[in-house]
Amino acid sequence: MKRLYTDEHAAAGVDAKLPDIETWPNQYPGYEIEIVMPEFTSVCPRTGLPDHGEITLRYAPDKLCLELKSLKMYTLAYRNLGIFQENVVNRILRDVVKACRPIAATVTGEFTPRGGVYTTITASWSKKASRSRNGSKG
């Protein structure tokens, strides 16, 4: 059986240029921020059909907090980007961690059904787990 999805489809959007997520200095320790983006849209890299969903970001800031307008502009850039749903969630997590180096972060994508299939994808990162994997500071 011939594969319909290629390696190019699988890698689509993973390294695309997106707007930077800006930050500002955190003033308080020991709390969590939850940001819900209920109108997230991207595009299936194979079919070109839109994917709609809700992205929820939960993070415990360390020294920096995410600036919300830049985060909005960042997520809007996915609107015409061909990228699989799994890659969306992991890419957002990667970019959030790079931008603000939180203590911990979790991104959940709940995508609306297409063809009777409802998908929820969750990816998490923490400094503690990163240190134990790398044997160094996260």
Side-chain angles (χ1 to χ4, degrees), residues 4-20:
L4 299 177
Y5 292 93
T6 66
D7 292 344
E8 289 78 26
H9 291 128
V14 172
D15 293 315
K17 177 71 176 140
L18 296 173
D20 290 335

Side-chain angles (χ1 to χ4, degrees), residues 110-135:
E110 296 182 47
F111 294 90
T112 57
R114 191 158 27 112
V117 177
Y118 180 87
T119 308
T120 300
I121 300 148
T122 302
S124 297
W125 179 91
S126 73
K127 278 189 176 181
K128 186 176 182 179
S130 177
R131 284 184 189 137
S132 67
R133 279 194 300 268
N134 297 339

Side-chain angles (χ1 to χ4, degrees), residues 34-48:
E34 180 177 278
I35 301 166
V36 179
M37 298 159 269
E39 298 177 344
F40 181 84
T41 305
S42 61
V43 177
C44 174
R46 181 176 177 274
T47 65

Side-chain angles (χ1 to χ4, degrees), residues 9-31:
H9 291 128
V14 172
D15 293 315
K17 177 71 176 140
L18 296 173
D20 290 335
I21 303 170
E22 296 177 27
T23 60
W24 53 274
N26 181 26
Q27 307 298 308
Y28 303 97
Y31 68 102

Side-chain angles (χ1 to χ4, degrees), residues 83-120:
I83 185 168
F84 284 138
Q85 296 169 353
E86 296 82 357
N87 291 345
V88 165
V89 170
N90 283 284
R91 169 80 192 261
I92 291 172
L93 178 65
R94 180 185 78 185
D95 291 347
V96 163
V97 168
K98 182 180 174 187
C100 73
R101 300 301 292 175
I103 294 167
T106 298
V107 176
T108 301
E110 296 182 47
F111 294 90
T112 57
R114 191 158 27 112
V117 177
Y118 180 87
T119 308
T120 300

